[in-house]
Amino acid sequence: MVPNSGINLDVPAPRHRPGEAPEFDNLDIPNAGTVPKPDIMADPREMFGYANTLIRVLNMKHQAVGEWDPQLSADDLRTGLRDMLTTRLYDDRMQTMQRVGKMSFYMKSRGEEAVAVAQAMALDKKDMLFPSYRQQGLLISRGRDLLDMMNHCLSNSRDNCKGRQLPIMYTWRQGNFFSISGNLGTQFCQAVGWALASAYKGEDAIAATWIGEGTTAESDFHHGMTFAAVYNAPVLLNVVNNQWAISSFQGIAGGEKATFAARGFGYGMPGLRVDGNDFLAVYAVTKWAADRARAGGGPTLIEHFTYRADAHSTSDDPSKYRPEHEPEAWPLGDPVDRLKNHLIDLGEWSDERHDQAIAEITAMVTAKYKEAESYGTLNSGARPEVSSMFEDVFATQPDNLRRQRQQLGV
Amino acid sequence: MVPNSGINLDVPAPRHRPGEAPEFDNLDIPNAGTVPKPDIMADPREMFGYANTLIRVLNMKHQAVGEWDPQLSADDLRTGLRDMLTTRLYDDRMQTMQRVGKMSFYMKSRGEEAVAVAQAMALDKKDMLFPSYRQQGLLISRGRDLLDMMNHCLSNSRDNCKGRQLPIMYTWRQGNFFSISGNLGTQFCQAVGWALASAYKGEDAIAATWIGEGTTAESDFHHGMTFAAVYNAPVLLNVVNNQWAISSFQGIAGGEKATFAARGFGYGMPGLRVDGNDFLAVYAVTKWAADRARAGGGPTLIEHFTYRADAHSTSDDPSKYRPEHEPEAWPLGDPVDRLKNHLIDLGEWSDERHDQAIAEITAMVTAKYKEAESYGTLNSGARPEVSSMFEDVFATQPDNLRRQRQQLGV
Amino acid sequence: MVKMTMVQAINSAQDVMLEKDNSVVVFGEDAGYFGGVFNCTEGLQKKYGKQRVFDTPIAEGGIIALAIGMGVNDMRPITEIQFSDYIYPAFDQIVSEASRLRYRSGGEYWAPITIRTPCGGGIRGGQTHSQSPEGIFTHVSGIKTIMPSNPYDAKGLLISAVEDDDPVVFFEPKRLYNGPFAGDPTQPPQSWDSHKKGEVPAGYYTIPIGKAETVRAGSDLTIITYGTMVHVSLAAAELSGYNVEVIDLRTLIPLDIDHIAASVCRTGRCVVVHEATKTGGFGAEILSQIQEECFWKLEAPITRVAGWDIPYPHAFEWEYFPGQGRVLAAIKLVMEG
Amino acid sequence: MVKMTMVQAINSAQDVMLEKDNSVVVFGEDAGYFGGVFNCTEGLQKKYGKQRVFDTPIAEGGIIALAIGMGVNDMRPITEIQFSDYIYPAFDQIVSEASRLRYRSGGEYWAPITIRTPCGGGIRGGQTHSQSPEGIFTHVSGIKTIMPSNPYDAKGLLISAVEDDDPVVFFEPKRLYNGPFAGDPTQPPQSWDSHKKGEVPAGYYTIPIGKAETVRAGSDLTIITYGTMVHVSLAAAELSGYNVEVIDLRTLIPLDIDHIAASVCRTGRCVVVHEATKTGGFGAEILSQIQEECFWKLEAPITRVAGWDIPYPHAFEWEYFPGQGRVLAAIKLVMEG
Ligand SMILES: Cc1ncc(C[n+]2csc(CCOP(=O)(O)OP(=O)(O)O)c2C)c(N)n1
Ligand SMILES: Cc1ncc(C[n+]2csc(CCOP(=O)(O)OP(=O)(O)O)c2C)c(N)n1
Ligand SMILES: [Mg+2]
Ligand SMILES: [Mg+2]
């Protein structure tokens, strides 16, 4: 029996809990354009400062400023905006459909669309993606048909995962998009292996992987960092710091002691911290890291400083653990609004075009969803063949599975 | 089938292999006394430099210089020297006995005696130790009877591990020395748990743990660092960088990309890099970190920069993977010689006294060993009761084990 | 006695132990402020403070290592692994460390830790929220393994686990959290309110670890089962028309083989039922021990009903789940050949 | 045909595959320059370069993750886990990832990786260099599990494993590395030179995964075993005076139950032998399937001989090891009741 003092046990807590007024006054946010851009082959030991600042391109007047401005064409910017919008509207639709019982589960990426979309644009199509479950924008930017994504989420007869995976755990081989695991973090060091195989073969393709800030505590993060550093793997290691991991804030993952980008330093790789809601900054940082990797400069750790603007998933209610209006208090704004305003500022977009785009995409999503439902939902309509559940456990079905299939009578 | 280029796959290799002349010219070793000593409550974010230098107290003239000089009394220094000598002579004897078949296995700590002995002296007896297998000096400094250590290594009738563990996997509850695991690294985050329990209870005791530089790649290192940082645990996290992990050099663990002390930075804790062969520097750094932990300053990562002067264990032959004379080429000398010379320089020791100490300790070790053998060795003489092998699996023996014991007829 | 769901009973067990013993602390992912994704620790942080009930980094291996270290320093940690599908990152700490610490240290150190973890399917969780991995723990010496099937047992066994000086892996069939479940998802959800074992003492009590319970007496055939399958088996027993005895193991290790063997030697027929995949599952061990103990009394082969040897497929949950039909078929097979 | 030890045969299999297929790479702790702590990769780095045979950081989980990623990118990695006692840190990558990747991705991705790892006791390795953890892998769907008992099988099966598109855990009974071992440490060490299966083709050949082999024909009783215990069982069979059939499983998953059942249904008596701890071991699965297949032909209970349910104790290695005496006692028990 021990005395119950608990006195020196230091358990971090977020600044505000439900019922309190949210604010982020503690954040030290440098102005856009103030962080210099290093040479792609810069020595990581000299790059220490990049982990403790925030690379930003879009300023408060919606202008692109500073060395990191990637100078994208207006067309590219509009593509990025459209893909982010599509991601968001797709998410909204799917979440609604989950609410009415068409799917078992759903996870939105609201507020984080720039991370996935800008990164997909900055990478080559041949580059291999090892995402977590909150980068659906990668698929959308790479042109996956929403219909296929929906078919998967509905576990219907056209689901390429054959009804075996939860919604949002996509797989898309053709698009060089790896199978998402339900187990957090496991893809992080796998991406390093893929990248090394590419280097081994003398190919030019690199790998990119994503992990939530909460998940950095898993061993996979450490293994990915270690193996990437040791073998100088051509890989982008992305930490999406969206401030929350289900109900626990980033301090429970160590975020109050150091930035996640700072981890890079101890492994001898650059750690870049970027405003994850700034499409241009995310693009530029990704391009820098990809160029570096392709040039033989090895891995880069990128911390995307962003905010999870909605619930963790359809299974939780964030008002139970954070102030109701915390999302609106996020000082770095919304990635869609910021890119939209930038385009408007450039004279390349307008509120009318924006509304029209929303209307078009919404109609497209609706039509796709309608079609997807015609191939079945989890609860009704067509499903994959039941007998298929005994396939793909092994490359060829062993006897015991054949017998079990027969026992089930399928 | 892939092309066999392997062209861009970057596998680190040590500077020299067997047959080549060893040198460490690449090492950037600052002079003793040049690194300042920060306040114990210094902000880790400002302490960055300490991970990329080498804290040293003993200079080439065997004098203690600079802010880190712990100002130990001559008596304390002699105690430290004697304990290091005892550790070395004990190791030598046990290795010899293993060679003649009295034990299954042995591991020496030659070259690393200062790490264990100076650290044990700098800590309080109430502090809990979670070592790896190469800190036998901790036991010796804390006054464990060599006889008991030998009894354990011989798995004889007086082995406090009851014949269940390999030699050198000591356990000593009375001395606050945790049970050594054969699995690398597993103790690292356990030490953090122990330290948190101490904090919880409002007690003053802290924990210290050790891990080899090779083992830092294991998940336990990352977990220990993360949990210690998040909960601000009063714990010393020691990385013993002895340059080798069986046959693989420290570059295979990432040591060519960054120092191991630099890892601390990414977790937001101080990382101190110390000349591990400098008794005074190891003592001072340990004291600093212990004071910090006790004052509520949380964890410190310490990299002991040292050299494994002998084989990994009795199972390997280092001349197969490193130059034969690499140990002698180590630029930071031998910890025993350096402390001895310092004491001589102080006028507190002499070659004669040193030889006499060696003779005394050797005689003591011989006598102890003789007695230990009288309690049995692995191959002959007394052993623990055979029936004891069915005990301690659980707190009380369940039926199936009772039946298995009966089946064996013991 | 008050009515409790299994969630409430598990919450209550922790509450009772936090109250009773300052060395008890509770931690896990989302287990602190939020009260756990299944609410099993709800309200406890508020009541006992964040030093005693707290959130952890997402690192199951670290969580168990932390618990072991605390356990060595006189505490009795209760840890939550959010889903048993996520216990594998902690496997090394459980198997190499917690389970062997007492042994390897000659009894000088031990890890009095409790690892709570929800298991089993039936909640549309797909392959990563539905697993029943008890069979990989029951093979490891030095770990006790428990899986209750109702609120009353859950609370009493959980208190026993916390007080036990050995490491305990405590599997909670999540499909039973809010009501008994006899395997038919088309039936309206049942409530623990109307179940005898939904009556739970408000305060402290224990159920001994290592004791099975006969939950239905019978003379024709014995079903050995645990967890959710207890309810499925009872329903199948009812439907079968035979006089079927059903034994709820409650504790898997140590196994109450005397209780089991006495029943099977009497009935001469046996079906072993679990939700985990069949090959190499704990059912094989149960079958083996019964065969060893009751061979000469057996009138038909012992038959196993279990999950298929495949991952739990999201869209085929009910084809995977070994429901009443499969148990019934096994009863018939064993009775009728 | 040339004479090879098991170490040489395993080395040769890797050599053959490195030569034949550029997508094969070999890595592990100390597996590169040094050639592995048991010399199983000796000379391969020198021959194929450090891009194809290399050392890794000490992180078993990272090693397997790396292999999976490489496997997804068209390679066929052979990884070495230095001792199977150290495979647990890789458990999550093996069980949650490699084993389920093909399934969860609807067949789009898979992990054609081979995990070599020495297992078993008899080398004074104590509890952390002696384990036989095959039983926790045989319960996991999607992994193939192999344990050869001699050089010829080892090479042929290892080549099959490397060419197989599924993840394979390849257990190497380290006590057999340098010679057959019938369980009596007081006997002088045997050499593979004089053993029929020490004759190994120098080049490429395969042995099919999933096929058991009858290594001694008999009519009184069947012993089902694998790994080191094949030799122990053969010796016990010889000593018993009975006409004992011995089957070497070679592959555990997929299990060659038809081969096994045919023998046991014929002899009517069976002893299952393995070195791993008994409870929950793979022996339980073998016993269960035989009971299911051959019940009506059985003339006595199937009996298991296995390691005790304790960690492998350093000083009591030979009391722990299920030697000839224990196998013999089981044969007698099953024959004579
Ligand atoms: C190994 C493992 N442990 C726990 C979980 C349960 N879980 C799912 S998501 C999540 C939070 C992850 O947070 P973070 O990494 O920050 O990612 P985010 O959801 O914010 O994108 C947890 C704990 C899991 N899926 N896998
Ligand atoms: C989990 C685990 N993996 C592998 C091993 C085998 N092994 C024992 S010592 C060792 C090298 C450790 O090197 P390092 O951490 O540098 O410690 P040092 O021996 O130099 O003190 C290895 C690979 C082990 N004991 N445990
Ligand atoms: Mg997050
Ligand atoms: Mg080392």
Side-chain angles (χ1 to χ4, degrees):
Chain A
M1 181 76 90
V2 304
N4 171 23
S5 73
I7 192 150
N8 296 322
L9 183 57
D10 202 342
V11 178
R15 291 164 66 83
H16 302 290
R17 285 295 193 187
E20 296 170 2
E23 48 75 29
F24 289 95
D25 298 348
N26 62 320
L27 293 184
D28 183 16
I29 299 172
N31 285 336
T34 53
V35 179
K37 186 172 176 181
D39 184 82
I40 58 160
M41 297 308 267
D43 184 341
R45 274 165 293 200
E46 317 285 303
M47 288 189 62
F48 175 59
Y50 293 92
N52 289 290
T53 183
L54 202 58
I55 297 169
R56 305 180 61 217
V57 170
L58 284 172
N59 69 13
M60 288 305 160
K61 298 190 215 133
H62 313 304
Q63 294 153 336
V65 293
E67 295 176 23
W68 285 96
D69 177 7
Q71 316 264 1
L72 290 174
S73 70
D75 276 348
D76 280 348
L77 294 177
R78 278 188 293 262
T79 302
L81 181 63
R82 173 169 281 268
D83 288 343
M84 287 201 288
L85 269 178
T86 305
T87 305
R88 184 167 294 184
L89 294 166
Y90 169 77
D91 273 351
D92 288 344
R93 175 76 191 197
M94 296 305 274
Q95 164 126 330
T96 307
M97 293 302 101
Q98 193 279 342
R99 295 282 184 227
V100 301
K102 302 288 186 177
M103 276 169 267
S104 56
F105 179 77
Y106 196 74
M107 290 176 116
K108 295 171 70 171
S109 62
R110 186 180 194 92
E112 302 171 38
E113 293 93 343
V115 174
V117 173
Q119 293 208 277
M121 278 182 73
L123 293 167
D124 280 1
K125 297 241 164 168
K126 65 174 176 291
D127 297 335
M128 183 75 189
L129 314 176
F130 288 81
S132 92
Y133 45 71
R134 218 183 284 282
Q135 288 84 44
Q136 38 269 57
L138 294 170
L139 289 166
I140 287 169
S141 173
R142 284 212 170 166
R144 192 172 189 201
D145 192 339
L146 292 190
L147 178 63
D148 291 332
M149 293 171 66
M150 290 165 170
N151 288 335
H152 162 66
C153 289
L154 293 168
S155 278
N156 72 18
S157 57
R158 302 222 175 167
D159 170 14
N160 69 322
C161 289
K162 304 182 185 169
R164 295 176 191 150
Q165 269 284 39
L166 280 186
I168 66 97
M169 304 286 172
Y170 305 101
T171 296
W172 190 36
R173 188 179 178 105
Q174 210 190 313
N176 290 328
F177 182 99
F178 190 61
S179 155
I180 298 174
S181 176
N183 297 62
L184 290 172
T186 48
Q187 73 286 355
F188 211 67
C189 190
Q190 293 167 359
V192 175
W194 195 98
L196 286 185
S198 182
Y200 173 92
K201 293 189 273 182
E203 291 175 354
D204 194 36
I206 64 175
T209 184
W210 289 261
I211 199 168
E213 92 294 339
T215 308
T216 59
E218 290 283 10
S219 61
D220 306 285
F221 175 75
H222 179 53
H223 295 150
M225 296 294 287
T226 303
F227 283 72
V230 168
Y231 302 116
N232 206 38
V235 64
L236 271 56
L237 302 161
N238 295 289
V239 173
V240 184
N241 178 2
N242 64 3
Q243 313 301 319
W244 289 95
I246 311 189
S247 74
S248 69
F249 83 122
Q250 42 85 32
I252 292 291
E256 300 215 302
K257 307 282 164 149
T259 71
F260 294 96
R263 296 280 174 88
F265 194 76
Y267 298 89
M269 69 173 84
L272 303 176
R273 191 154 171 271
V274 62
D275 176 351
N277 291 9
D278 178 340
F279 185 92
L280 295 178
V282 171
Y283 183 96
V285 161
T286 306
K287 192 75 177 43
W288 184 92
D291 289 347
R292 179 181 175 93
R294 258 184 263 280
T300 298
L301 177 69
I302 304 174
E303 174 182 350
H304 301 267
F305 198 63
T306 181
Y307 186 85
R308 196 196 80 208
D310 214 318
H312 171 74
S313 75
T314 48
S315 305
D316 70 308
D317 170 4
S319 73
K320 289 243 172 89
Y321 51 80
R322 69 185 190 190
E324 194 187 351
H325 294 292
E326 196 179 274
E328 294 97 275
W330 183 245
L332 293 165
D334 176 83
V336 173
D337 289 351
R338 286 173 69 191
L339 186 56
K340 169 191 164 194
N341 289 329
H342 176 53
L343 271 163
I344 292 176
D345 182 75
L346 290 176
E348 295 282 357
W349 197 244
S350 66
D351 279 319
E352 298 67 46
R353 287 175 77 177
H354 197 76
D355 291 345
Q356 197 192 326
I358 289 177
E360 276 169 29
I361 296 166
T362 305
M364 184 268 286
V365 169
T366 307
K368 293 276 182 194
Y369 186 77
K370 217 166 171 165
E371 180 175 355
E373 269 211 5
S374 77
Y375 305 128
T377 73
L378 187 58
N379 299 312
S380 65
R383 283 192 305 169
E385 290 290 327
V386 176
S387 66
S388 73
M389 76 191 242
F390 295 99
E391 285 160 18
D392 295 328
V393 179
F394 294 101
T396 52
Q397 195 172 65
D399 280 351
N400 66 320
L401 289 181
R402 187 178 42 74
R403 287 174 197 165
Q404 293 188 1
R405 176 171 59 70
Q406 289 164 346
Q407 206 183 322
L408 183 60
V410 293
Chain B
M1 180 78 88
V2 305
N4 170 24
S5 73
I7 192 150
N8 296 322
L9 183 58
D10 201 342
V11 178
R15 291 164 66 82
H16 302 289
R17 284 294 193 186
E20 296 171 2
E23 48 76 27
F24 289 96
D25 298 348
N26 62 322
L27 293 184
D28 184 16
I29 298 171
N31 285 336
T34 52
V35 179
K37 186 172 174 178
D39 184 82
I40 59 160
M41 297 308 268
D43 184 341
R45 275 165 291 201
E46 316 285 305
M47 288 189 62
F48 174 58
Y50 293 92
N52 290 291
T53 182
L54 202 58
I55 298 170
R56 305 180 61 216
V57 170
L58 284 172
N59 69 14
M60 288 304 160
K61 296 189 217 133
H62 313 305
Q63 294 153 337
V65 293
E67 296 176 23
W68 284 96
D69 177 7
Q71 316 264 2
L72 290 175
S73 71
D75 275 348
D76 280 349
L77 294 176
R78 276 187 294 261
T79 302
L81 180 63
R82 174 169 281 268
D83 288 342
M84 288 202 288
L85 269 178
T86 305
T87 305
R88 184 166 294 185
L89 294 166
Y90 170 78
D91 272 352
D92 288 344
R93 175 75 191 198
M94 296 305 273
Q95 164 124 330
T96 307
M97 292 302 101
Q98 192 278 340
R99 294 282 183 226
V100 300
K102 302 288 185 177
M103 277 169 266
S104 57
F105 179 76
Y106 196 74
M107 290 177 115
K108 294 172 71 172
S109 61
R110 187 180 193 93
E112 302 171 39
E113 292 91 343
V115 174
V117 173
Q119 293 209 277
M121 278 181 72
L123 293 167
D124 281 359
K125 296 241 163 169
K126 65 175 176 293
D127 297 335
M128 184 75 188
L129 313 176
F130 288 81
S132 90
Y133 45 71
R134 220 182 284 282
Q135 287 84 43
Q136 39 269 57
L138 294 171
L139 289 166
I140 287 169
S141 173
R142 284 211 168 167
R144 190 170 190 204
D145 192 338
L146 292 189
L147 178 63
D148 291 332
M149 294 171 66
M150 291 166 170
N151 287 335
H152 162 65
C153 289
L154 293 168
S155 278
N156 71 18
S157 56
R158 302 222 175 166
D159 170 13
N160 70 320
C161 289
K162 304 183 187 169
R164 295 176 191 150
Q165 269 284 39
L166 280 185
I168 66 97
M169 304 285 173
Y170 305 102
T171 296
W172 189 36
R173 188 178 177 106
Q174 209 190 314
N176 289 329
F177 182 100
F178 190 61
S179 155
I180 299 173
S181 176
N183 297 62
L184 290 172
T186 48
Q187 72 287 353
F188 211 67
C189 191
Q190 293 167 359
V192 176
W194 195 97
L196 287 185
S198 182
Y200 173 92
K201 293 188 273 182
E203 291 175 354
D204 193 35
I206 64 175
T209 183
W210 288 261
I211 199 168
E213 92 294 339
T215 308
T216 59
E218 290 283 10
S219 60
D220 306 285
F221 175 75
H222 179 53
H223 295 149
M225 295 295 287
T226 303
F227 283 72
V230 167
Y231 302 116
N232 206 39
V235 64
L236 272 56
L237 302 161
N238 295 289
V239 174
V240 183
N241 178 0
N242 64 4
Q243 314 300 318
W244 289 94
I246 311 189
S247 73
S248 68
F249 84 122
Q250 44 83 31
I252 292 291
E256 299 215 302
K257 306 283 162 148
T259 71
F260 294 95
R263 296 280 174 88
F265 194 76
Y267 298 89
M269 71 174 82
L272 304 176
R273 192 154 170 268
V274 61
D275 176 351
N277 292 9
D278 178 339
F279 185 93
L280 295 177
V282 171
Y283 183 97
V285 161
T286 306
K287 192 74 177 42
W288 185 93
D291 289 347
R292 179 180 174 95
R294 258 184 262 279
T300 299
L301 177 69
I302 304 174
E303 174 182 351
H304 301 267
F305 198 63
T306 180
Y307 185 85
R308 196 195 80 208
D310 214 317
H312 171 74
S313 74
T314 48
S315 305
D316 70 308
D317 171 3
S319 73
K320 289 242 171 89
Y321 50 81
R322 68 185 189 190
E324 194 186 352
H325 295 291
E326 197 179 273
E328 294 96 275
W330 182 245
L332 293 165
D334 175 82
V336 174
D337 290 350
R338 285 173 70 190
L339 185 57
K340 169 190 161 193
N341 288 329
H342 176 54
L343 270 162
I344 292 177
D345 181 76
L346 290 176
E348 296 281 356
W349 196 244
S350 66
D351 279 319
E352 298 68 47
R353 286 175 76 176
H354 197 76
D355 291 345
Q356 197 192 328
I358 290 177
E360 274 169 29
I361 296 166
T362 306
M364 185 268 288
V365 168
T366 307
K368 293 276 182 195
Y369 185 77
K370 213 162 174 169
E371 181 175 355
E373 270 211 6
S374 76
Y375 305 127
T377 73
L378 187 58
N379 300 313
S380 65
R383 282 193 305 169
E385 290 290 326
V386 176
S387 65
S388 72
M389 76 191 241
F390 294 98
E391 287 160 16
D392 295 328
V393 180
F394 294 102
T396 53
Q397 194 172 65
D399 279 352
N400 67 320
L401 288 182
R402 188 178 42 73
R403 286 174 199 164
Q404 293 188 359
R405 176 172 58 72
Q406 289 164 343
Q407 206 183 321
L408 183 59
V410 294
Chain C
M1 293 287 216
V2 288
K3 296 282 180 194
M4 289 191 199
T5 66
M6 205 145 153
V7 167
Q8 290 164 333
I10 288 163
N11 191 301
S12 172
Q14 298 179 85
D15 190 355
V16 164
M17 289 311 297
L18 281 161
E19 179 77 45
K20 180 169 187 278
D21 184 350
N22 288 330
S23 63
V24 173
V25 284
V26 170
F27 52 90
E29 297 160 15
D30 303 295
Y33 187 87
F34 190 53
V37 297
F38 290 104
N39 305 325
C40 290
T41 57
E42 186 157 5
L44 298 178
Q45 182 178 87
K46 198 158 184 196
K47 188 160 171 192
Y48 296 100
K50 73 182 165 77
Q51 275 77 20
R52 300 196 63 202
V53 180
F54 54 90
D55 290 324
T56 62
I58 302 174
E60 293 77 10
I63 292 170
I64 301 304
L66 202 78
I68 292 171
M70 291 182 119
V72 166
N73 200 351
D74 301 333
M75 314 271 295
R76 292 194 176 276
I78 308 176
T79 62
E80 176 175 298
I81 300 293
Q82 199 163 85
F83 286 85
S84 60
D85 315 60
Y86 305 140
I87 204 166
Y88 309 118
F91 202 63
D92 190 46
Q93 282 288 336
I94 299 173
V95 166
S96 304
E97 296 293 314
S99 79
R100 284 194 267 125
L101 179 54
R102 184 190 295 279
Y103 195 78
R104 78 175 195 226
S105 70
E108 289 196 351
Y109 293 106
W110 59 94
I113 67 174
T114 301
I115 304 171
R116 291 184 38 245
T117 186
C119 67
I123 62 153
R124 285 288 194 216
Q127 48 147 10
T128 52
H129 303 82
S130 306
Q131 296 167 35
S132 297
E134 69 276 7
I136 57 174
F137 292 96
T138 49
H139 183 38
V140 177
S141 311
I143 304 173
K144 292 178 177 165
T145 315
I146 292 174
M147 194 189 296
S149 71
N150 60 65
Y152 179 82
D153 288 356
K155 180 170 172 183
L157 283 164
L158 182 51
I159 291 177
S160 291
V162 176
E163 294 189 325
D164 197 279
D165 282 336
D166 294 313
V168 178
V169 185
F170 191 90
F171 289 100
E172 301 170 1
K174 63 179 101 69
R175 178 69 210 213
L176 302 181
Y177 270 153
N178 295 306
F181 177 66
D184 185 348
T186 65
Q187 292 294 308
Q190 304 289 298
S191 145
W192 284 115
D193 268 2
S194 46
H195 193 284
K196 186 176 82 200
K197 294 270 194 151
E199 303 223 356
V200 179
Y204 173 94
Y205 70 97
T206 60
I207 292 186
I209 294 174
K211 293 285 162 223
E213 187 183 31
T214 300
V215 291
R216 186 181 200 271
S219 53
D220 291 341
L221 177 151
T222 308
I223 294 182
I224 314 293
T225 187
Y226 53 89
T228 307
M229 291 302 127
V230 170
H231 304 274
V232 177
S233 299
L234 283 170
E238 207 62 54
L239 289 173
S240 73
Y242 290 106
N243 202 347
V244 174
E245 180 144 314
V246 178
I247 294 178
D248 179 356
L249 286 184
R250 308 196 295 190
T251 299
L252 277 54
I253 297 288
L255 182 65
D256 194 356
I257 184 64
D258 295 343
H259 188 111
I260 298 169
S263 169
V264 179
C265 288
R266 179 164 43 74
T267 62
R269 291 183 154 90
C270 180
V271 175
V272 177
V273 182
H274 61 55
E275 188 177 345
T277 54
K278 184 176 185 183
T279 298
F282 191 59
E285 181 61 32
I286 301 170
L287 189 157
S288 296
Q289 292 199 27
I290 296 171
Q291 193 264 183
E292 286 156 358
E293 300 282 327
C294 306
F295 182 81
W296 302 106
K297 304 285 174 61
L298 288 176
E299 294 178 44
I302 310 164
T303 294
R304 289 180 287 171
V305 178
W308 310 119
D309 288 335
I310 63 176
Y312 223 115
H314 179 246
F316 305 109
E317 179 146 53
W318 301 114
E319 287 83 0
Y320 181 91
F321 187 90
Q324 292 176 21
R326 263 148 70 191
V327 179
L328 200 57
I331 294 173
K332 293 235 160 89
L333 182 76
V334 173
M335 291 306 302
E336 297 159 24
Chain D
M1 294 285 217
V2 288
K3 297 283 179 193
M4 288 192 199
T5 66
M6 205 146 153
V7 168
Q8 290 164 334
I10 288 163
N11 191 301
S12 172
Q14 298 179 84
D15 191 356
V16 165
M17 290 310 297
L18 281 161
E19 178 79 45
K20 181 169 187 276
D21 183 351
N22 288 330
S23 63
V24 173
V25 284
V26 169
F27 53 90
E29 297 161 15
D30 303 294
Y33 187 87
F34 191 53
V37 297
F38 291 105
N39 305 325
C40 290
T41 57
E42 186 156 4
L44 298 177
Q45 181 177 88
K46 198 158 185 198
K47 188 161 173 191
Y48 297 100
K50 73 182 165 77
Q51 275 76 21
R52 299 197 63 202
V53 180
F54 55 89
D55 289 325
T56 63
I58 302 174
E60 293 77 10
I63 292 170
I64 302 304
L66 202 78
I68 293 170
M70 292 182 119
V72 166
N73 200 352
D74 301 332
M75 313 271 294
R76 292 195 175 275
I78 307 175
T79 62
E80 176 175 299
I81 300 293
Q82 199 162 84
F83 286 84
S84 61
D85 314 60
Y86 306 140
I87 204 166
Y88 309 119
F91 201 62
D92 190 47
Q93 282 288 335
I94 299 172
V95 165
S96 304
E97 296 294 312
S99 78
R100 286 194 264 124
L101 178 55
R102 183 190 296 277
Y103 196 77
R104 78 174 195 227
S105 70
E108 289 196 352
Y109 293 107
W110 59 93
I113 67 175
T114 301
I115 304 172
R116 291 184 37 244
T117 186
C119 67
I123 63 151
R124 286 288 195 217
Q127 47 146 12
T128 52
H129 303 81
S130 306
Q131 295 167 36
S132 297
E134 69 276 7
I136 57 174
F137 293 96
T138 49
H139 183 39
V140 177
S141 310
I143 304 173
K144 291 177 177 165
T145 315
I146 291 174
M147 194 188 297
S149 71
N150 60 66
Y152 179 81
D153 288 355
K155 180 171 172 182
L157 283 164
L158 183 51
I159 292 177
S160 291
V162 176
E163 294 190 325
D164 197 280
D165 282 336
D166 294 312
V168 178
V169 185
F170 191 89
F171 289 101
E172 302 171 359
K174 64 179 99 69
R175 179 68 209 213
L176 302 180
Y177 270 153
N178 295 307
F181 177 65
D184 185 348
T186 65
Q187 292 295 307
Q190 304 289 298
S191 146
W192 285 115
D193 268 3
S194 46
H195 193 282
K196 187 177 83 200
K197 295 271 194 151
E199 302 225 355
V200 179
Y204 173 95
Y205 69 97
T206 60
I207 292 187
I209 294 174
K211 292 286 163 223
E213 187 184 31
T214 300
V215 291
R216 186 180 200 272
S219 53
D220 292 339
L221 177 150
T222 308
I223 294 181
I224 313 293
T225 187
Y226 53 89
T228 307
M229 291 301 128
V230 170
H231 304 273
V232 176
S233 299
L234 283 169
E238 207 61 55
L239 289 173
S240 72
Y242 290 106
N243 203 348
V244 174
E245 181 144 313
V246 179
I247 294 179
D248 179 357
L249 286 184
R250 307 195 295 190
T251 299
L252 277 54
I253 297 288
L255 182 66
D256 194 356
I257 185 63
D258 294 343
H259 187 110
I260 297 168
S263 169
V264 179
C265 289
R266 178 163 44 72
T267 62
R269 292 184 154 88
C270 181
V271 174
V272 177
V273 182
H274 60 55
E275 189 178 342
T277 54
K278 184 176 185 183
T279 298
F282 191 59
E285 181 60 33
I286 301 170
L287 188 158
S288 295
Q289 293 199 28
I290 296 171
Q291 193 263 184
E292 285 155 1
E293 300 284 325
C294 306
F295 182 82
W296 302 106
K297 303 285 174 63
L298 288 176
E299 295 178 44
I302 310 164
T303 295
R304 290 180 286 171
V305 178
W308 310 120
D309 288 335
I310 63 176
Y312 222 115
H314 178 246
F316 305 110
E317 178 145 54
W318 302 114
E319 286 83 359
Y320 180 91
F321 188 90
Q324 293 177 21
R326 263 148 71 191
V327 179
L328 200 56
I331 295 172
K332 292 235 160 91
L333 182 76
V334 173
M335 291 306 302
E336 299 159 22

